[in-house]
Amino acid sequence: MKNLSVAAVRLSRWLLSFAGRGGSLPGQIGLKIDPQILSKIRITGPVVVVTGTNGKTSTANLIADLLQEAGYDVVTNRKGDNLREGIATALLSRTSLSGTVKATAAVLETDELNVKYILPAFPVTALVVTNFFRDQLDRAREMEQLIESIEGVLEPFQGTLVLNANDPNVMRLADKAPQASVVTFGVARNQESTRVTGEAAEGKFCPRCSRPLVYDWYQYSHIGRFRCEACGFGTPDTIDVNLEDIDLSAGTFAWNGSTFHNPYEGLYSMYNAAAVLALGKLLGIPAPKAEAVFRHAPQPAGRNETFEADGRRIVLNLVKNPTGANEVMKVIERDPALKQIVIVLNDREQDGRDVSWIYDTHFEKFMNPATQAIWCTGTRSGDMGLRMQYGGWTGPLHMVSDLKEAVHEAAAAGDVIYVVATYTALVPARNAILEEVRK
């Protein structure tokens, strides 16, 4: 069955390439033929699994680039097909009929709910965990249930956990992995850090003893320096990779005596860079190779992606949960330019049917004189329009049913346009922007 499964994936992937298609269908076919196929293949070299609520795509792609910079032949699911079927497609497409993956390293972005399938399937060198936040309740369920699904497969894990030291929901994983080693990463206190947080925060109680956690400071949401005064659980005194001298204006940070350029904007993205450096330290990859990767990192689609259209600047951002959305709001708030805002809110299955998260997002951050008008579109545009009114917005508010029309009208009204889109709206929004660019 193994040979048939591998052959079916490779053949279907080859056939789909002629139609300009890819995705997870070949992996679905392979797993249908042999549900245990992932446990039957051999991977030579390090295997890195990257998971977490926010930042896993950027982090996984940067790690794949780092390993390639270090001379590895890397197999990875770079396009973000991070369910079991997508991972099967990536691996089996590069697997010989004898069951050997034709690569010297694997970097696999993995959806949090799919870690329970991937981690036990083959020897994983490192499990990198970026953060845990409430996200898509109707799909991912409560965050506690999601974390428990990962903890349930950690007892036999003998690799290395690469953990965000500033997230108590991530650091708790070490307690459930007695055979694993642990490498931590974090970001030191800086000008953006605060003593209190007004954002949705899931890290209020100690995961060991359920007592309230005490924070010395916060970076955002529940990310910060924390401790439990009852049992001692908390941010480690010594963090293996702790970024310092954070300069968001220059987009730089320091570590281990060297200065690095952050490949993406925002304090939250510094954690992605810290995770990459921690993984590099684990594998003995020199830091200058990471700096080379950071300097030449491509801008991921929809992650503060900037377009120029006849002298106008259009910025596209993906939002899918309150914490990630709040970080996008901070980026918009820091831009002093007069701007138009387009918000595309969908509630399709991949977005999550429950859109109540928009009331935990601080859209009020861009409700200031620099914002000239707001356009709401998408399947739940009415809900977003109501959210704007509840937030106190009294300026021009346009409810437009057609996404392309909303982008076009906003682009015609100003020179700086921010387009904020949920998951299923991201590609249509990007296509609408590209139409403006081509005009």
Side-chain angles (χ1 to χ4, degrees), residues 414-430:
D415 292 333
V416 178
I417 303 93
Y418 280 89
V419 180
V420 179
T422 53
Y423 192 81
T424 63
L426 185 65
V427 172
R430 193 173 190 274

Side-chain angles (χ1 to χ4, degrees), residues 130-146:
T130 59
N131 47 60
F132 288 126
F133 299 108
R134 181 165 56 87
D135 181 41
Q136 296 184 2
L137 293 178
D138 48 351
R139 187 190 71 86
R141 298 172 293 179
E142 285 291 344
M143 191 184 67
E144 184 69 20
Q145 294 175 293
L146 183 148

